[in-house]
Amino acid sequence: MNQYADMVLVLELFFLIYFALLNGGYLFLNAVAMISLKRQMDRQVYADHPRIYTALKPPVSLLVPAYNEAATIAASVRSMLQLSYDEFEVIVINDGSLDGTLEELQRQFGLVPFPGACRSGIKTQPVRGMWYSTVHRNLRVIDKENGGKADSLNAGINASRYPLFCAVDADSILQRNSLDLIVEPFVEDDRTIAAGGTIRILNGCKASDGFLVSVGLPNKLLPMLQIVEYLRAFLFGRLGWSPLNAMLVISGAFGLFRKSSVIEVGGYRTDTVGEDMELVMRLHRIHRQKRIPYRIVFVPNPICWTEAPESLRVLKNQRMRWQRGLSESLLMNRTLLFSRNGGWVGWIAFPFTFVFEWAGVFIELAGYMFIFAGFWLGIVSGAALLAFAVVSVLLGVLLSVSALLMEEMSFHLYPRYRQLFWLLAMAVLENFGYRQLNLVWRFHGMLRWLFGTQAQWGKMTRSAKWNRSIRPDKS
Amino acid sequence: MVSAAHFDAILWFVSLTGIAVFSLTLLMVFRIVWLRFSHNSRARREKKFLELWRPLMMSGISGSETGYPPLRMDDAEFFLDLWNHLHESVKGPAKSRLNNLAVRCGMAAHAHALLHRSGLRPRLMALITLGNLRENSAWSDILPLAKKPDTILSFTALGALLRINANAALGELKMQLVDRTDWPTAQLAILIQESGAMASTFELVDAALQLSGSTRPEDIRKLQRLLRIFVVVPTHLKLPAVRTILSSATDSELIAQCLKYLCEPEDLPCIRTYAEHPVWFVRLQAAHALGRIGATSDLPLLQKLLRDPVWDVRHRSADAIVALMRKDGKALAGLLATLTDPFARDMLTMSMAESRVAQ
Amino acid sequence: MRKGAIPALLSHPTCWLIMKSGYCAEALSAMENRSSSFPTEKPLLMAVEDDDNIAYLLQFLLEREGYSVRMARNGNEARQLIDELPPPQLVILDIMVPYFDGFELLQLIREKSDWASTPVIMLTAKSQERDIVRALDSGASDYIVKPFLPEELKARVRRWVRVVGK
């Protein structure tokens, strides 16, 4: 009996320490993020004043992979051509679409075939042809065999002209000044090799022809829950790690990279569903190993709007894929862990992500089971169970509310009191069901990854529309 | 039992944490509501301000002398925002009219006062305003700020000094321009260009010459930064210095930067020697320079570069060939026909097509 | 489209002010003088500009010069105006505006038969040689770089309106 109690005590301690470290970690990130956000906001005096567009800023290649996007591609491309930035090119990579995406582009932009000599820096699926627009001189289209998003981006990198490239999802909307803002870290510090911007949820907003007309909240529960989730992920998940140069992910929907650095490390990997996260981890790992000074940063103010899944089924698929991408990225870059020149990223961020976002799925599930089993067996008192549940919900609410506070300090995108009420309600509500559901989905994703067959997964990525790769890290 | 007492202790601890977390959350919620309230009331005040002052400022810009209502100190922030916005939109006499208006409304004095506040924001606003006002009397207050370690503060101060008196600023802050590796070079170049003090950029040239030939890594880094700012230095000032720096440069990035600025035929022999440099971006700049100022006698060299293993070098060489043979389409087509290397042929075909599109 | 002198006066930004606060009395008399010297319809201009303050400034400057100005704040509004309005005396185009940029709008204007000869001045922060060349090549009559000289803008507008008047 005593031995049994000891075991319970050890387990209990284990879960408590896990719980304390997890929340302590997030609170710490939260503090770092608050300070860095405050500083960023202070420095933005007169940021909306007219600027001189100058050739002194580095030109950017915008890479837009498109797979079966015929319905929306023209509007997206048109809005991207309107970004306020001095010199940039838009390269659409048609990844063997079956729905006439290329024909739509030809119709809308007067494409003419063009002899192309692509770099062969990164191996990709064969390129079928290169097209130039007669209407917009900075628009090109690459037509290639289907090979997935990562492969398309690699083909885009090979064809791109300029030293920086920006990976953008075809169905997302970039705020007009976002390119100008996301280039800032590259202008300020030449060690910068990658920068990520904020992703916001488009559901509930009004958009027309690839432009955002007005910001609003969705009237459905699921996307609304995701709004709070994204605020948390971007406002302190990213903003917390970024000043420590330890940010492990830049979302595939909107990120800017130094081309030479990416080619140096071999481009995007095509054998993972989390190519965006994997690339950033690999950039960290290789630069750390070779001891090349570098910076990977998050810039909160450039905003990219993207549609979030509205149905449980699609959301579940997305979360399962994220978990799989996370697992693969961690595995592929495992040597970053506690590496000699690892710094914050190798010694803190990577283990933190591994323990709390990867292994955390198992630990949290086990924790739930332990506590309920304990209660059922009479080892855990009802009062203790209640107290523990209340504290964990309260901490969850605290973290979400602090993200809302940061949003209020910075962007103030949902100005009505009613919107505030709903967001606060979500911060509470997500603790009852949504988080647990996510946990189960992620667990499911892990099982698929551990036991699923390669062939099945290969088929999945090709047939599935690359359903947004925004990935807010769990927090 | 042990575990009962133990649970009591935990319960106690957990409840305390819960209360602390809950109070913190409530505080944050209050803070959000308060921020929202003040934000909204500010927006209302700003709207009212704009209704009254926007037309006044517009007629100020167009030079009609009218009376101005007293400006409420609460509105000073809005005033400066609008005023600086308009300053960035117009130039010439309109700027001095804006300045008269600001002085008459007491904003020059207000900007001076803001400069001595403690926060970053008011000081940045003051610096931008004083810069636009060309407020000479603030010079001695601003100068120490340009030497502060904070990047944004010191850089904004530099911007203000450049606007107030560019020549004096370049002279006075010569050392900082070299040493402050945190100041972004692109913006620095924009500021200098905007100030129009091209003649005083000899200070930068002097500083670069002093660093030239040094093999210390930090000196090389500083020199690279200076060379990046050289885009705004007039050619007659920078060219001799670039040649000197290039003659003693061993760092490949430095060499590539120097090659960008060479623009006279007498530099051709020197450029040609770099066409076979082991580092690709040096070859690239050499090809680029040959395309700019080269002669048809450089074509064999460029054809060799057209077979370079690095894509970018091939691309630039193809562009250079097209540029050199621009006037003779037939000869260009002939040259294309003689190429045997498929990479070279593809690249030249693309460059030719691109130049057709560009025309 | 025809506007009488009084409503035009009322829609004038300074005049609201005059009514409200009594400042700039001379602006009022200047207006009266002008409206008496231009008893007929005011020449119509169209301008496309997305920055609030600059749009306001343009409207202010040009209306003071005695023009009637239709502002569009983005490419969509501009397209609508191009569809609806009779050809104005002159168009001022910013290049970087949402939906349809200045180059596309320019092309649209040049393709529309009755607008084809309308002078178009580009007014933009894009100051690079290649942008200027491209704009002039694709049919712009003139090019002004921001930040701009208000007097210069007014003079160029006068010049182009005169050219067309002949």
Side-chain angles (χ1 to χ4, degrees):
Chain A
M1 186 68 201
N2 234 346
Q3 213 177 357
Y4 182 57
D6 278 352
M7 208 183 76
V8 170
L9 191 68
V10 168
L11 268 179
E12 196 177 276
L13 262 179
F14 173 77
F15 288 125
L16 271 180
I17 289 171
Y18 173 87
F19 184 77
L21 281 179
L22 173 71
N23 286 292
Y26 283 135
L27 287 173
F28 168 73
L29 277 182
N30 207 332
V32 176
M34 279 266 188
I35 294 166
S36 100
L37 186 67
K38 178 84 174 68
R39 196 174 295 160
Q40 299 229 18
M41 289 298 132
D42 274 350
R43 9 178 326 175
Q44 276 166 31
V45 173
Y46 304 145
D48 61 331
H49 285 190
R51 286 163 179 247
I52 297 168
Y53 294 92
T54 147
L56 296 171
K57 284 198 172 187
V60 177
S61 300
L62 226 64
L63 307 184
V64 191
Y67 178 72
N68 290 350
E69 306 269 2
T72 53
I73 189 72
S76 309
V77 169
R78 192 157 277 133
S79 83
M80 284 170 201
L81 288 164
Q82 305 281 299
L83 292 169
S84 35
Y85 193 68
D86 184 64
E87 194 176 0
F88 66 98
E89 59 173 356
V90 177
I91 301 179
V92 182
I93 306 107
N94 176 40
D95 190 31
S97 298
L98 304 167
D99 68 341
T101 301
L102 182 64
E103 290 71 15
E104 177 65 15
L105 286 165
Q106 286 168 341
R107 232 189 338 273
Q108 295 279 343
F109 299 105
L111 299 185
V112 290
F114 204 80
C118 281
R119 244 183 228 93
S120 51
I122 311 169
K123 276 267 158 299
T124 66
Q125 292 293 317
V127 171
R128 293 193 287 224
M130 181 109 77
W131 301 75
Y132 263 63
S133 165
T134 48
V135 187
H136 300 274
R137 280 179 201 179
N138 54 344
L139 172 64
R140 277 188 290 159
V141 176
I142 299 172
D143 183 33
K144 64 180 272 293
E145 305 277 339
N146 179 270
K149 184 175 179 182
D151 193 63
S152 307
L153 286 169
N154 286 337
I157 293 173
N158 282 342
S160 66
R161 285 283 146 75
Y162 298 139
L164 304 180
F165 75 85
C166 182
V168 191
D169 273 1
D171 51 0
S172 50
I173 295 181
L174 292 186
Q175 212 132 298
R176 280 184 72 222
N177 58 356
S178 53
L179 197 53
D180 198 38
L181 294 171
I182 203 170
V183 170
E184 278 305 283
F186 289 83
V187 176
E188 281 165 13
D189 190 335
D190 49 16
R191 290 167 303 175
T192 307
I193 57 168
T198 300
I199 310 289
R200 290 303 192 95
I201 287 180
L202 189 58
N203 309 46
C205 300
K206 264 201 218 104
S208 91
D209 293 337
F211 283 89
L212 190 72
V213 179
S214 69
V215 177
L217 283 182
N219 51 12
K220 292 195 180 106
L221 188 64
L222 220 45
M224 193 123 85
L225 285 164
Q226 290 176 73
I227 288 187
V228 178
E229 197 180 13
Y230 276 49
L231 283 179
R232 237 181 14 237
F234 283 94
L235 284 178
F236 77 77
R238 308 270 161 95
L239 204 50
W241 289 121
S242 171
L244 311 169
N245 199 19
M247 193 175 60
L248 283 176
V249 54
I250 286 174
S251 91
F254 184 37
L256 187 65
F257 297 85
R258 193 177 293 283
K259 187 169 73 182
S260 56
S261 308
V262 172
I263 292 181
E264 194 74 23
V265 303
Y268 286 93
R269 278 184 76 142
T270 50
D271 54 351
T272 166
V273 294
E275 74 286 331
D276 46 356
M277 186 183 216
E278 199 282 326
L279 176 66
V280 176
M281 283 197 198
R282 183 149 39 94
L283 284 170
H284 274 295
R285 175 166 61 86
I286 292 178
H287 281 80
R288 290 265 163 209
Q289 270 167 8
K290 295 191 177 165
R291 294 174 184 265
I292 306 169
Y294 72 101
R295 278 197 339 143
I296 293 179
V297 294
F298 172 70
V299 207
N301 40 358
I303 298 180
C304 167
W305 297 85
T306 190
E307 200 92 29
E310 293 202 342
S311 81
L312 275 176
R313 195 180 51 81
V314 179
L315 186 63
K316 178 185 174 186
N317 278 334
Q318 184 194 49
R319 296 304 148 103
M320 281 172 61
R321 204 173 44 250
W322 287 355
Q323 195 63 28
R324 163 166 238 145
L326 171 73
S327 312
E328 287 165 348
S329 306
L330 288 171
L331 186 71
M332 286 168 179
N333 297 288
R334 58 190 174 278
T335 51
L336 183 58
L337 184 69
F338 303 134
S339 55
R340 249 203 293 167
N341 187 35
W344 270 91
V345 65
W347 288 83
I348 308 288
F350 195 90
F352 187 90
T353 309
F354 174 73
V355 172
F356 296 112
E357 291 182 24
W358 189 83
V361 173
F362 299 114
I363 300 174
E364 280 168 41
L365 265 184
Y368 275 112
M369 282 193 275
F370 169 78
I371 214 158
F372 285 113
F375 177 64
W376 192 58
L377 292 171
I379 306 169
V380 178
S381 71
L385 177 63
L386 189 68
F388 191 75
V390 168
V391 170
S392 70
V393 167
L394 283 178
L395 276 167
V397 175
L398 174 70
L399 291 173
S400 293
V401 168
S402 72
L404 289 178
L405 175 58
M406 280 190 246
E407 153 74 14
E408 194 69 35
M409 285 161 56
S410 50
F411 301 102
H412 195 74
L413 286 177
Y414 306 103
R416 293 174 190 203
Y417 283 98
R418 211 162 52 134
Q419 291 169 325
L420 175 63
F421 167 79
W422 280 113
L423 291 175
L424 284 172
M426 291 306 119
V428 178
L429 204 66
E430 64 177 353
N431 294 290
F432 303 96
Y434 184 67
R435 278 174 186 239
Q436 292 77 4
L437 207 55
N438 255 302
L439 186 61
V440 173
W441 289 336
R442 288 164 58 215
F443 180 65
H444 196 158
M446 293 278 249
L447 292 183
R448 273 276 182 85
W449 173 64
L450 286 168
F451 305 112
T453 56
Q454 289 285 313
Q456 220 182 356
W457 150 50
K459 209 173 102 202
M460 197 175 82
T461 45
R462 298 249 171 129
S463 60
K465 199 165 173 232
W466 321 303
N467 213 317
R468 273 131 284 225
S469 36
I470 338 135
R471 187 203 315 284
D473 359 46
K474 186 213 77 168
S475 44
Chain B
M1 244 181 80
V2 188
S3 95
H6 163 74
F7 269 126
D8 276 350
I10 289 186
L11 209 57
W12 173 240
F13 177 73
V14 165
S15 325
L16 270 187
T17 324
I19 291 168
V21 169
F22 184 69
S23 336
L24 197 55
T25 310
L26 269 189
L27 274 179
M28 284 190 175
V29 172
F30 285 135
R31 175 87 184 137
I32 293 175
V33 173
W34 190 80
L35 276 176
R36 182 155 293 212
F37 177 77
S38 55
H39 188 279
N40 290 352
S41 75
R42 205 189 110 93
R44 274 194 301 275
R45 278 191 293 131
E46 181 164 25
K47 196 164 163 249
K48 262 175 104 177
F49 167 84
L50 285 178
E51 272 170 20
L52 177 62
W53 277 91
R54 194 135 62 173
L56 286 173
M57 257 193 227
M58 301 297 166
S59 57
I61 285 185
S62 43
S64 49
E65 284 289 320
T66 53
Y68 298 110
L71 179 67
R72 293 176 39 200
M73 265 304 130
D74 283 0
D75 289 341
E77 202 184 331
F78 306 136
F79 183 98
L80 291 182
D81 192 349
L82 176 62
W83 184 85
N84 281 309
H85 193 133
L86 290 172
H87 239 296
E88 306 299 336
S89 317
V90 297
K91 61 182 178 193
K95 270 185 183 287
S96 18
R97 290 191 206 118
L98 273 173
N99 287 356
N100 287 338
L101 193 157
V103 173
R104 280 175 63 186
C105 295
M107 278 299 108
H110 182 65
H112 275 281
L114 279 182
L115 199 57
H116 298 289
R117 294 261 185 91
S118 58
L120 181 61
R121 244 186 109 76
R123 284 196 284 176
L124 292 181
M125 288 190 324
L127 286 171
I128 293 168
T129 309
L130 291 168
N132 276 330
L133 274 171
R134 313 280 190 272
E135 187 70 7
N136 234 323
S137 62
W139 180 274
S140 53
D141 282 343
I142 299 176
L143 193 59
L145 293 180
K147 295 174 178 168
K148 293 251 179 192
D150 182 286
T151 303
I152 183 85
L153 183 66
S154 56
F155 192 70
T156 313
L158 170 76
L161 293 176
L162 279 170
R163 285 191 163 171
I164 294 170
N165 183 345
N167 296 324
L170 284 175
E172 192 98 43
L173 292 165
K174 186 172 155 182
M175 285 323 293
Q176 274 74 21
L177 288 171
V178 179
D179 292 333
R180 289 297 297 255
T181 43
D182 59 327
W183 284 351
T185 45
Q187 260 107 326
L188 207 54
I190 295 171
L191 284 178
I192 293 172
Q193 191 171 37
E194 203 192 62
S195 73
M198 294 313 158
S200 290
T201 50
F202 75 85
E203 301 273 9
L204 295 173
V205 176
D206 270 0
L209 280 173
Q210 273 168 28
L211 289 170
S212 146
S214 166
T215 48
R216 288 168 51 199
E218 64 265 36
D219 284 349
I220 292 179
R221 191 165 142 74
K222 285 175 187 169
L223 194 50
Q224 287 171 350
R225 284 174 48 81
L226 280 174
L227 277 170
R228 252 174 261 154
I229 309 174
F230 266 30
V231 276
V232 293
V233 176
T235 306
H236 70 278
L237 284 178
K238 71 185 165 198
L239 201 54
V242 167
R243 286 180 189 140
T244 314
I245 294 167
L246 182 59
S247 66
S248 63
T250 48
D251 178 76
S252 43
E253 196 154 319
L254 213 52
I255 296 173
Q257 281 182 306
C258 288
L259 288 175
K260 277 186 204 169
Y261 295 123
L262 294 182
C263 56
E264 280 181 9
E266 63 178 280
D267 298 312
L268 277 170
C270 166
I271 294 170
R272 286 179 194 129
T273 60
Y274 286 106
E276 318 221 350
H277 197 271
V279 176
W280 68 269
F281 50 80
V282 174
R283 295 199 298 276
L284 183 143
Q285 288 306 336
H288 194 38
L290 289 177
R292 239 181 6 244
I293 49 175
T296 38
S297 59
D298 288 311
L299 283 172
L301 192 55
L302 283 168
Q303 277 187 60
K304 198 172 160 207
L305 285 170
L306 196 57
R307 295 192 300 271
D308 198 275
V310 179
W311 185 91
D312 300 87
V313 179
R314 293 203 299 277
H315 186 214
R316 208 44 75 85
S317 315
D319 281 351
I321 291 174
V322 171
L324 288 183
M325 302 180 76
R326 197 174 28 229
K327 294 198 183 88
D328 195 353
K330 260 194 198 131
L332 190 56
L335 176 75
L336 181 67
T338 62
L339 293 177
T340 47
D341 182 286
F343 287 106
R345 211 169 42 222
D346 283 358
M347 192 57 81
L348 191 60
T349 314
M350 180 165 90
S351 280
M352 285 164 67
E354 271 172 6
S355 86
R356 270 197 302 276
V357 167
Q359 282 162 16
Chain C
M1 283 304 115
R2 186 176 284 268
K3 269 190 186 171
I6 302 294
L9 204 63
L10 283 179
S11 70
H12 193 282
T14 36
C15 284
W16 272 115
L17 201 86
I18 298 160
M19 313 270 164
K20 266 165 67 180
S21 49
Y23 295 110
C24 60
E26 67 214 86
L28 181 65
S29 61
M31 288 290 272
E32 279 167 347
N33 284 341
R34 191 157 43 235
S35 47
S36 59
S37 58
F38 292 104
T40 45
E41 193 176 347
K42 290 177 174 182
L44 175 69
L45 306 185
M46 174 182 142
V48 186
E49 169 63 61
D50 68 329
D51 179 290
D52 269 341
N53 287 321
I54 300 180
Y56 199 101
L57 176 63
L58 282 180
Q59 184 147 16
F60 183 91
L61 291 174
L62 296 171
E63 285 184 354
R64 263 176 82 111
E65 287 286 289
Y67 303 105
S68 143
V69 183
R70 292 299 295 270
M71 280 313 285
R73 304 300 301 279
N74 59 49
N76 271 347
E77 284 180 27
R79 266 179 73 133
Q80 211 172 346
L81 286 186
I82 295 173
D83 279 345
E84 289 168 0
L85 287 184
Q89 302 278 324
L90 175 118
V91 179
I92 296 176
L93 280 183
D94 187 2
I95 292 182
M96 287 188 284
V97 288
Y99 302 110
F100 294 92
D101 68 13
F103 290 121
E104 284 177 284
L105 293 171
L106 179 59
Q107 199 179 351
L108 216 65
I109 290 172
R110 289 291 171 250
E111 280 166 4
K112 202 177 166 194
S113 57
D114 52 340
W115 284 56
S117 58
T118 308
V120 176
I121 300 180
M122 308 302 274
L123 174 65
T124 167
K126 283 198 172 237
S127 56
Q128 295 223 44
E129 188 187 356
R130 64 183 142 83
D131 295 311
I132 300 176
V133 169
R134 185 179 162 200
L136 295 177
D137 278 352
S138 35
S141 321
D142 212 338
Y143 197 100
I144 301 178
V145 171
K146 283 185 210 163
F148 63 98
L149 292 157
E151 301 303 324
E152 182 194 358
L153 176 83
K154 286 193 277 190
R156 287 184 193 266
V157 169
R158 274 198 302 274
R159 171 184 172 231
W160 284 106
V161 169
R162 206 167 45 230
V163 168
V164 175
K166 275 177 188 169

